Amino acid sequence: MSRIVVSLGGNALGKNPAEQKELLKNVAFHIVELIKDGHEVVIAHGNGPQVGMINLSFTESTSTPDMPFPECGAMSQGYIGYHLQNSIGNELAKQKIKKSIASIVTQVVVDEFDPAFDRPTKPIGNFYTHEESKVLEKTMGYDMVEDAGRGYRRVVPSPMPIDIKEIDIVKSLLNEGHIVVTVGGGGIPVIRKGYSLVGVPSVIDKDNASAKLAELVNADILIILTAVDNVYINFGKDNAEALHEVSIERLETLIEEKQFAEGSMLPKIRASINFARNKKISVIASLDNAEKAFNLEAGTIIKG
Amino acid sequence: MSRIVVSLGGNALGKNPAEQKELLKNVAFHIVELIKDGHEVVIAHGNGPQVGMINLSFTESTSTPDMPFPECGAMSQGYIGYHLQNSIGNELAKQKIKKSIASIVTQVVVDEFDPAFDRPTKPIGNFYTHEESKVLEKTMGYDMVEDAGRGYRRVVPSPMPIDIKEIDIVKSLLNEGHIVVTVGGGGIPVIRKGYSLVGVPSVIDKDNASAKLAELVNADILIILTAVDNVYINFGKDNAEALHEVSIERLETLIEEKQFAEGSMLPKIRASINFARNKKISVIASLDNAEKAFNLEAGTIIKG
């Protein structure tokens, strides 16, 4: 029996509630296979499209207040967490497995002096014209950037997670045999101000948050589920090659060779390395290969 | 030491994130006093204004999907739960009390044959003109009613809670000494369909959900915090009289005399009676009298 952190991509969750519900049936099936193998499972998930959608609805709506980013993240944890625990709970009931699952609203602590706060890089929400973006910079104090010819978008900082406020809650539940959903969307980002934790408009990379979670619950394996079956070198080229088992040293060389796309595969690899470094195992695999990946028979396996 | 369920009104949480944060500082102070007295605390809360705001923002926004009511409820659990655990966590840290708190995304099971489904009574969201309400009836299948001369509003059923899906999670956390926020907004209403739980557009009264919660965690006391210091007879009249300690029998007589306002004090009293009936104690009090109420020195005390 292993303690496993599974990190699900926000893009795999769909663009609206009906789509999310449908896609999660498949996710639930794979997660329950893992539980049937006797593993302790903690689930982390992204929220990119969903938190963008929530933020946008408050921005566009004329009779509701503006909703700050940490609060939108909290809403996305409720929204995605509900569907996750409902679909996994339904699959468990169907297979007559007596296990409880719940989603924990989770705050993740970041350092207010993290250099990321000086350099917002994470694009969120919808696209604006140049004129609109100038207005938003002025009226809302947003940082706006041109995004790959598709228009202007708000960018927020993406600081590193340093602690998970509700980690004792997560540990208690795991120790009691429950399944836990936590650090949704990378967690609600908060900084320390004296004794208080205060929400900050930023987005924590969900794979970095998952690696921190895996470290803090002393997991054996971190599994990052994504759209591709493996990590590739020369991705998209004729000489593309899937990596099966790979050392941290080899990955670090490949990172220096700029083999992995920034904002896509690179953060997953960095998070995997961070976790594997302490004699642990990280796996990057597709959802469809999840069971095999859980048994270290598919995906890209990084052993520290 | 007692196990106490505290039920907070959604109206006490304010109309926007800044207001909610500010109001919760006071709530947090009172809850922490209770914790310092050594009690085990579970917090339930309403979400009337908040879930209406969330639903409205998705309705008004043109580029986001329509958001069903159960999902809006889940978002409100994230939104209010985050502020609750943050403000109480900050107050605990300030007073150097080592306790963890977390909000649990919570599904509450209702009976699909509950007669409430044939008679939607709970007004939600914003006001429409007669013409708009006709369009919504036709296009969205909503039930619309005229609301006290202020316009037309959607009404949804308000069924009784029969079970709390995540109750084992709540119990585990309480047994480990943690503080729990659960059944936010009365819980996400779900019905059983074969092995599955399926969300239904309805709103569970948060005091009924709190009473069910208090029963299931075997609490000693249910405290319903509201805007008034006591339950009154002849409320608003010259001969108004505050009730201090009152028996279930007396309350039932007063209910028959129509002493309590439907949709306001009456559901709180019914929920209090339901819980107190099994030799327990329910208290209805104002937030400012919370500590005294916790020690049964203020509010209206109903002993079963």
Side-chain angles (χ1 to χ4, degrees), chain A residues 99-136:
Chain A
K99 276 265 186 192
S100 295
I101 173 167
S103 307
I104 308 300
V105 176
T106 312
Q107 306 171 87
V108 172
V109 183
V110 299
D111 181 352
E112 68 171 313
F113 300 111
D114 191 308
F117 284 109
D118 301 324
R119 200 175 55 94
T121 53
K122 176 95 183 162
I124 52 163
N126 60 332
F127 294 89
Y128 297 93
T129 64
H130 182 69
E131 292 69 39
E132 287 167 338
S133 83
K134 286 287 158 203
V135 172
L136 286 169

mmCIF file of all heavy atoms in Angstrom, chain A residues 99-136:
data_model
loop_
_atom_site.group_PDB
_atom_site.id
_atom_site.type_symbol
_atom_site.label_atom_id
_atom_site.label_comp_id
_atom_site.label_asym_id
_atom_site.label_seq_id
_atom_site.Cartn_x
_atom_site.Cartn_y
_atom_site.Cartn_z
ATOM 1 N N LYS A 99 -16.016 3.859 1.609
ATOM 2 C CA LYS A 99 -14.965 4.848 1.818
ATOM 3 C C LYS A 99 -15.616 6.210 1.716
ATOM 4 O O LYS A 99 -16.526 6.403 0.908
ATOM 5 C CB LYS A 99 -13.930 4.749 0.682
ATOM 6 C CG LYS A 99 -12.879 3.695 0.877
ATOM 7 C CD LYS A 99 -11.651 4.309 1.513
ATOM 8 C CE LYS A 99 -10.522 3.291 1.588
ATOM 9 N NZ LYS A 99 -9.455 3.815 2.469
ATOM 10 N N SER A 100 -15.145 7.151 2.497
ATOM 11 C CA SER A 100 -15.680 8.508 2.401
ATOM 12 C C SER A 100 -14.674 9.414 1.710
ATOM 13 O O SER A 100 -13.464 9.214 1.812
ATOM 14 C CB SER A 100 -15.993 9.065 3.789
ATOM 15 O OG SER A 100 -17.022 8.320 4.393
ATOM 16 N N ILE A 101 -15.181 10.404 1.029
ATOM 17 C CA ILE A 101 -14.338 11.375 0.333
ATOM 18 C C ILE A 101 -14.882 12.772 0.589
ATOM 19 O O ILE A 101 -16.096 12.954 0.635
ATOM 20 C CB ILE A 101 -14.281 11.075 -1.183
ATOM 21 C CG1 ILE A 101 -13.543 12.187 -1.935
ATOM 22 C CG2 ILE A 101 -15.675 10.866 -1.791
ATOM 23 C CD1 ILE A 101 -13.173 11.834 -3.364
ATOM 24 N N ALA A 102 -13.981 13.724 0.771
ATOM 25 C CA ALA A 102 -14.439 15.116 0.880
ATOM 26 C C ALA A 102 -13.380 16.066 0.364
ATOM 27 O O ALA A 102 -12.187 15.773 0.385
ATOM 28 C CB ALA A 102 -14.791 15.467 2.318
ATOM 29 N N SER A 103 -13.864 17.220 -0.099
ATOM 30 C CA SER A 103 -12.977 18.289 -0.559
ATOM 31 C C SER A 103 -12.815 19.298 0.566
ATOM 32 O O SER A 103 -13.786 19.696 1.204
ATOM 33 C CB SER A 103 -13.582 18.990 -1.770
ATOM 34 O OG SER A 103 -13.912 18.043 -2.746
ATOM 35 N N ILE A 104 -11.572 19.692 0.776
ATOM 36 C CA ILE A 104 -11.217 20.628 1.838
ATOM 37 C C ILE A 104 -10.903 21.979 1.197
ATOM 38 O O ILE A 104 -10.046 22.053 0.310
ATOM 39 C CB ILE A 104 -9.943 20.141 2.562
ATOM 40 C CG1 ILE A 104 -10.097 18.682 3.006
ATOM 41 C CG2 ILE A 104 -9.590 21.053 3.734
ATOM 42 C CD1 ILE A 104 -11.224 18.460 3.944
ATOM 43 N N VAL A 105 -11.579 23.021 1.635
ATOM 44 C CA VAL A 105 -11.194 24.370 1.209
ATOM 45 C C VAL A 105 -9.784 24.618 1.747
ATOM 46 O O VAL A 105 -9.550 24.461 2.944
ATOM 47 C CB VAL A 105 -12.203 25.419 1.724
ATOM 48 C CG1 VAL A 105 -11.764 26.827 1.361
ATOM 49 C CG2 VAL A 105 -13.604 25.123 1.177
ATOM 50 N N THR A 106 -8.849 24.952 0.866
ATOM 51 C CA THR A 106 -7.435 24.934 1.254
ATOM 52 C C THR A 106 -6.700 26.222 0.903
ATOM 53 O O THR A 106 -6.725 26.669 -0.240
ATOM 54 C CB THR A 106 -6.708 23.755 0.562
ATOM 55 O OG1 THR A 106 -7.465 22.560 0.730
ATOM 56 C CG2 THR A 106 -5.317 23.552 1.147
ATOM 57 N N GLN A 107 -6.030 26.783 1.913
ATOM 58 C CA GLN A 107 -5.178 27.955 1.714
ATOM 59 C C GLN A 107 -3.712 27.507 1.627
ATOM 60 O O GLN A 107 -3.269 26.722 2.462
ATOM 61 C CB GLN A 107 -5.318 28.927 2.892
ATOM 62 C CG GLN A 107 -6.759 29.334 3.196
ATOM 63 C CD GLN A 107 -6.874 30.122 4.496
ATOM 64 O OE1 GLN A 107 -6.737 31.333 4.518
ATOM 65 N NE2 GLN A 107 -7.122 29.442 5.596
ATOM 66 N N VAL A 108 -3.015 28.015 0.626
ATOM 67 C CA VAL A 108 -1.598 27.672 0.481
ATOM 68 C C VAL A 108 -0.777 28.937 0.697
ATOM 69 O O VAL A 108 -1.031 29.976 0.077
ATOM 70 C CB VAL A 108 -1.331 27.025 -0.889
ATOM 71 C CG1 VAL A 108 0.165 26.844 -1.123
ATOM 72 C CG2 VAL A 108 -2.038 25.662 -0.978
ATOM 73 N N VAL A 109 0.195 28.825 1.598
ATOM 74 C CA VAL A 109 0.984 29.996 1.993
ATOM 75 C C VAL A 109 2.108 30.225 0.990
ATOM 76 O O VAL A 109 2.816 29.286 0.609
ATOM 77 C CB VAL A 109 1.581 29.799 3.402
ATOM 78 C CG1 VAL A 109 2.328 31.050 3.846
ATOM 79 C CG2 VAL A 109 0.480 29.436 4.404
ATOM 80 N N VAL A 110 2.242 31.479 0.539
ATOM 81 C CA VAL A 110 3.366 31.868 -0.315
ATOM 82 C C VAL A 110 4.129 32.995 0.379
ATOM 83 O O VAL A 110 3.630 33.594 1.334
ATOM 84 C CB VAL A 110 2.882 32.312 -1.714
ATOM 85 C CG1 VAL A 110 2.158 31.175 -2.432
ATOM 86 C CG2 VAL A 110 1.985 33.542 -1.641
ATOM 87 N N ASP A 111 5.331 33.260 -0.104
ATOM 88 C CA ASP A 111 6.200 34.269 0.500
ATOM 89 C C ASP A 111 5.926 35.616 -0.165
ATOM 90 O O ASP A 111 6.027 35.734 -1.381
ATOM 91 C CB ASP A 111 7.662 33.841 0.283
ATOM 92 C CG ASP A 111 8.643 34.820 0.911
ATOM 93 O OD1 ASP A 111 8.220 35.899 1.376
ATOM 94 O OD2 ASP A 111 9.854 34.491 0.915
ATOM 95 N N GLU A 112 5.605 36.631 0.656
ATOM 96 C CA GLU A 112 5.283 37.921 0.023
ATOM 97 C C GLU A 112 6.500 38.510 -0.707
ATOM 98 O O GLU A 112 6.348 39.377 -1.561
ATOM 99 C CB GLU A 112 4.716 38.918 1.035
ATOM 100 C CG GLU A 112 5.694 39.386 2.080
ATOM 101 C CD GLU A 112 5.135 40.543 2.919
ATOM 102 O OE1 GLU A 112 4.578 41.499 2.352
ATOM 103 O OE2 GLU A 112 5.266 40.471 4.153
ATOM 104 N N PHE A 113 7.699 38.008 -0.390
ATOM 105 C CA PHE A 113 8.895 38.496 -1.083
ATOM 106 C C PHE A 113 9.317 37.558 -2.219
ATOM 107 O O PHE A 113 10.416 37.696 -2.765
ATOM 108 C CB PHE A 113 10.037 38.700 -0.086
ATOM 109 C CG PHE A 113 9.695 39.695 0.986
ATOM 110 C CD1 PHE A 113 9.506 39.284 2.298
ATOM 111 C CD2 PHE A 113 9.526 41.044 0.664
ATOM 112 C CE1 PHE A 113 9.170 40.201 3.289
ATOM 113 C CE2 PHE A 113 9.182 41.967 1.653
ATOM 114 C CZ PHE A 113 8.996 41.540 2.966
ATOM 115 N N ASP A 114 8.445 36.594 -2.558
ATOM 116 C CA ASP A 114 8.718 35.740 -3.713
ATOM 117 C C ASP A 114 8.937 36.628 -4.945
ATOM 118 O O ASP A 114 8.121 37.512 -5.229
ATOM 119 C CB ASP A 114 7.501 34.807 -3.941
ATOM 120 C CG ASP A 114 7.786 33.704 -4.955
ATOM 121 O OD1 ASP A 114 8.246 34.032 -6.083
ATOM 122 O OD2 ASP A 114 7.553 32.528 -4.632
ATOM 123 N N PRO A 115 10.056 36.421 -5.666
ATOM 124 C CA PRO A 115 10.320 37.284 -6.833
ATOM 125 C C PRO A 115 9.194 37.251 -7.867
ATOM 126 O O PRO A 115 9.067 38.183 -8.678
ATOM 127 C CB PRO A 115 11.622 36.722 -7.412
ATOM 128 C CG PRO A 115 11.877 35.431 -6.708
ATOM 129 C CD PRO A 115 11.144 35.477 -5.417
ATOM 130 N N ALA A 116 8.371 36.207 -7.844
ATOM 131 C CA ALA A 116 7.250 36.130 -8.795
ATOM 132 C C ALA A 116 6.326 37.342 -8.687
ATOM 133 O O ALA A 116 5.702 37.740 -9.671
ATOM 134 C CB ALA A 116 6.453 34.847 -8.555
ATOM 135 N N PHE A 117 6.247 37.944 -7.461
ATOM 136 C CA PHE A 117 5.344 39.086 -7.301
ATOM 137 C C PHE A 117 5.821 40.322 -8.078
ATOM 138 O O PHE A 117 5.047 41.233 -8.335
ATOM 139 C CB PHE A 117 5.142 39.414 -5.818
ATOM 140 C CG PHE A 117 4.219 38.450 -5.132
ATOM 141 C CD1 PHE A 117 4.705 37.535 -4.205
ATOM 142 C CD2 PHE A 117 2.861 38.427 -5.444
ATOM 143 C CE1 PHE A 117 3.856 36.628 -3.580
ATOM 144 C CE2 PHE A 117 2.005 37.519 -4.834
ATOM 145 C CZ PHE A 117 2.499 36.622 -3.901
ATOM 146 N N ASP A 118 7.109 40.342 -8.424
ATOM 147 C CA ASP A 118 7.612 41.464 -9.229
ATOM 148 C C ASP A 118 7.438 41.214 -10.724
ATOM 149 O O ASP A 118 7.727 42.092 -11.536
ATOM 150 C CB ASP A 118 9.111 41.679 -8.949
ATOM 151 C CG ASP A 118 9.351 41.975 -7.480
ATOM 152 O OD1 ASP A 118 8.500 42.648 -6.888
ATOM 153 O OD2 ASP A 118 10.382 41.513 -6.934
ATOM 154 N N ARG A 119 7.022 39.993 -11.072
ATOM 155 C CA ARG A 119 7.009 39.639 -12.491
ATOM 156 C C ARG A 119 5.795 38.735 -12.755
ATOM 157 O O ARG A 119 5.939 37.510 -12.824
ATOM 158 C CB ARG A 119 8.326 38.890 -12.816
ATOM 159 C CG ARG A 119 8.716 38.858 -14.268
ATOM 160 C CD ARG A 119 10.102 38.204 -14.429
ATOM 161 N NE ARG A 119 10.173 36.874 -13.834
ATOM 162 C CZ ARG A 119 9.957 35.736 -14.505
ATOM 163 N NH1 ARG A 119 9.699 35.772 -15.784
ATOM 164 N NH2 ARG A 119 10.032 34.570 -13.890
ATOM 165 N N PRO A 120 4.608 39.317 -12.888
ATOM 166 C CA PRO A 120 3.412 38.503 -13.132
ATOM 167 C C PRO A 120 3.531 37.796 -14.488
ATOM 168 O O PRO A 120 3.864 38.433 -15.485
ATOM 169 C CB PRO A 120 2.275 39.533 -13.180
ATOM 170 C CG PRO A 120 2.843 40.810 -12.692
ATOM 171 C CD PRO A 120 4.313 40.759 -12.930
ATOM 172 N N THR A 121 3.306 36.493 -14.501
ATOM 173 C CA THR A 121 3.515 35.728 -15.724
ATOM 174 C C THR A 121 2.328 34.854 -16.112
ATOM 175 O O THR A 121 2.260 34.367 -17.232
ATOM 176 C CB THR A 121 4.702 34.751 -15.552
ATOM 177 O OG1 THR A 121 4.471 33.969 -14.367
ATOM 178 C CG2 THR A 121 6.021 35.479 -15.424
ATOM 179 N N LYS A 122 1.407 34.633 -15.184
ATOM 180 C CA LYS A 122 0.356 33.644 -15.425
ATOM 181 C C LYS A 122 -0.889 34.316 -16.032
ATOM 182 O O LYS A 122 -1.577 35.074 -15.352
ATOM 183 C CB LYS A 122 0.006 32.984 -14.085
ATOM 184 C CG LYS A 122 -1.115 32.004 -14.138
ATOM 185 C CD LYS A 122 -0.625 30.589 -14.317
ATOM 186 C CE LYS A 122 -1.782 29.627 -14.451
ATOM 187 N NZ LYS A 122 -1.391 28.359 -15.029
ATOM 188 N N PRO A 123 -1.189 34.054 -17.322
ATOM 189 C CA PRO A 123 -2.366 34.677 -17.941
ATOM 190 C C PRO A 123 -3.653 34.044 -17.413
ATOM 191 O O PRO A 123 -3.740 32.826 -17.280
ATOM 192 C CB PRO A 123 -2.221 34.359 -19.431
ATOM 193 C CG PRO A 123 -0.906 33.664 -19.589
ATOM 194 C CD PRO A 123 -0.509 33.140 -18.247
ATOM 195 N N ILE A 124 -4.623 34.857 -17.087
ATOM 196 C CA ILE A 124 -5.897 34.345 -16.557
ATOM 197 C C ILE A 124 -7.066 35.050 -17.227
ATOM 198 O O ILE A 124 -6.931 36.159 -17.739
ATOM 199 C CB ILE A 124 -6.007 34.542 -15.033
ATOM 200 C CG1 ILE A 124 -5.715 36.002 -14.677
ATOM 201 C CG2 ILE A 124 -5.090 33.608 -14.275
ATOM 202 C CD1 ILE A 124 -6.178 36.377 -13.304
ATOM 203 N N GLY A 125 -8.208 34.404 -17.214
ATOM 204 C CA GLY A 125 -9.451 35.010 -17.690
ATOM 205 C C GLY A 125 -9.467 35.260 -19.181
ATOM 206 O O GLY A 125 -8.729 34.632 -19.936
ATOM 207 N N ASN A 126 -10.300 36.236 -19.588
ATOM 208 C CA ASN A 126 -10.563 36.368 -21.025
ATOM 209 C C ASN A 126 -9.660 37.386 -21.721
ATOM 210 O O ASN A 126 -8.790 37.993 -21.104
ATOM 211 C CB ASN A 126 -12.043 36.705 -21.252
ATOM 212 C CG ASN A 126 -12.427 38.004 -20.582
ATOM 213 O OD1 ASN A 126 -11.830 38.384 -19.574
ATOM 214 N ND2 ASN A 126 -13.402 38.682 -21.135
ATOM 215 N N PHE A 127 -9.903 37.549 -23.037
ATOM 216 C CA PHE A 127 -9.060 38.380 -23.889
ATOM 217 C C PHE A 127 -9.697 39.744 -24.099
ATOM 218 O O PHE A 127 -10.917 39.865 -24.211
ATOM 219 C CB PHE A 127 -8.883 37.681 -25.239
ATOM 220 C CG PHE A 127 -8.116 36.400 -25.135
ATOM 221 C CD1 PHE A 127 -8.773 35.189 -24.893
ATOM 222 C CD2 PHE A 127 -6.735 36.383 -25.260
ATOM 223 C CE1 PHE A 127 -8.061 33.999 -24.775
ATOM 224 C CE2 PHE A 127 -6.019 35.197 -25.151
ATOM 225 C CZ PHE A 127 -6.687 34.006 -24.903
ATOM 226 N N TYR A 128 -8.836 40.787 -24.144
ATOM 227 C CA TYR A 128 -9.317 42.145 -24.346
ATOM 228 C C TYR A 128 -8.577 42.799 -25.513
ATOM 229 O O TYR A 128 -7.487 42.357 -25.894
ATOM 230 C CB TYR A 128 -9.085 42.984 -23.078
ATOM 231 C CG TYR A 128 -9.845 42.472 -21.880
ATOM 232 C CD1 TYR A 128 -9.251 41.586 -20.981
ATOM 233 C CD2 TYR A 128 -11.169 42.863 -21.645
ATOM 234 C CE1 TYR A 128 -9.961 41.094 -19.881
ATOM 235 C CE2 TYR A 128 -11.874 42.386 -20.552
ATOM 236 C CZ TYR A 128 -11.267 41.503 -19.672
ATOM 237 O OH TYR A 128 -11.960 41.023 -18.600
ATOM 238 N N THR A 129 -9.183 43.863 -26.058
ATOM 239 C CA THR A 129 -8.491 44.654 -27.072
ATOM 240 C C THR A 129 -7.423 45.509 -26.378
ATOM 241 O O THR A 129 -7.418 45.641 -25.148
ATOM 242 C CB THR A 129 -9.464 45.608 -27.799
ATOM 243 O OG1 THR A 129 -9.955 46.555 -26.835
ATOM 244 C CG2 THR A 129 -10.643 44.847 -28.422
ATOM 245 N N HIS A 130 -6.540 46.112 -27.186
ATOM 246 C CA HIS A 130 -5.495 46.968 -26.641
ATOM 247 C C HIS A 130 -6.118 48.105 -25.818
ATOM 248 O O HIS A 130 -5.671 48.409 -24.709
ATOM 249 C CB HIS A 130 -4.656 47.538 -27.786
ATOM 250 C CG HIS A 130 -3.524 48.394 -27.304
ATOM 251 N ND1 HIS A 130 -2.437 47.873 -26.628
ATOM 252 C CD2 HIS A 130 -3.322 49.732 -27.367
ATOM 253 C CE1 HIS A 130 -1.617 48.859 -26.303
ATOM 254 N NE2 HIS A 130 -2.133 49.993 -26.746
ATOM 255 N N GLU A 131 -7.191 48.711 -26.361
ATOM 256 C CA GLU A 131 -7.845 49.833 -25.676
ATOM 257 C C GLU A 131 -8.435 49.377 -24.331
ATOM 258 O O GLU A 131 -8.251 50.028 -23.311
ATOM 259 C CB GLU A 131 -8.972 50.429 -26.545
ATOM 260 C CG GLU A 131 -8.479 51.135 -27.813
ATOM 261 C CD GLU A 131 -7.903 50.166 -28.839
ATOM 262 O OE1 GLU A 131 -8.475 49.056 -28.985
ATOM 263 O OE2 GLU A 131 -6.861 50.467 -29.462
ATOM 264 N N GLU A 132 -9.161 48.261 -24.364
ATOM 265 C CA GLU A 132 -9.757 47.744 -23.131
ATOM 266 C C GLU A 132 -8.681 47.442 -22.083
ATOM 267 O O GLU A 132 -8.859 47.693 -20.896
ATOM 268 C CB GLU A 132 -10.548 46.454 -23.420
ATOM 269 C CG GLU A 132 -11.864 46.679 -24.166
ATOM 270 C CD GLU A 132 -12.454 45.374 -24.711
ATOM 271 O OE1 GLU A 132 -11.689 44.392 -24.894
ATOM 272 O OE2 GLU A 132 -13.661 45.342 -24.944
ATOM 273 N N SER A 133 -7.562 46.894 -22.575
ATOM 274 C CA SER A 133 -6.506 46.513 -21.633
ATOM 275 C C SER A 133 -5.915 47.754 -20.959
ATOM 276 O O SER A 133 -5.579 47.732 -19.776
ATOM 277 C CB SER A 133 -5.422 45.686 -22.335
ATOM 278 O OG SER A 133 -4.500 46.517 -22.996
ATOM 279 N N LYS A 134 -5.838 48.854 -21.717
ATOM 280 C CA LYS A 134 -5.336 50.109 -21.128
ATOM 281 C C LYS A 134 -6.277 50.604 -20.021
ATOM 282 O O LYS A 134 -5.842 51.076 -18.976
ATOM 283 C CB LYS A 134 -5.217 51.193 -22.228
ATOM 284 C CG LYS A 134 -4.041 51.000 -23.175
ATOM 285 C CD LYS A 134 -2.727 51.337 -22.485
ATOM 286 C CE LYS A 134 -1.550 50.662 -23.183
ATOM 287 N NZ LYS A 134 -0.382 50.498 -22.309
ATOM 288 N N VAL A 135 -7.570 50.481 -20.274
ATOM 289 C CA VAL A 135 -8.572 50.898 -19.284
ATOM 290 C C VAL A 135 -8.447 50.046 -18.020
ATOM 291 O O VAL A 135 -8.468 50.563 -16.889
ATOM 292 C CB VAL A 135 -10.003 50.793 -19.872
ATOM 293 C CG1 VAL A 135 -11.053 51.036 -18.781
ATOM 294 C CG2 VAL A 135 -10.184 51.783 -21.015
ATOM 295 N N LEU A 136 -8.290 48.729 -18.193
ATOM 296 C CA LEU A 136 -8.189 47.838 -17.038
ATOM 297 C C LEU A 136 -6.927 48.113 -16.225
ATOM 298 O O LEU A 136 -6.929 48.058 -15.001
ATOM 299 C CB LEU A 136 -8.219 46.367 -17.492
ATOM 300 C CG LEU A 136 -9.593 45.861 -17.931
ATOM 301 C CD1 LEU A 136 -9.477 44.500 -18.605
ATOM 302 C CD2 LEU A 136 -10.537 45.767 -16.736
#
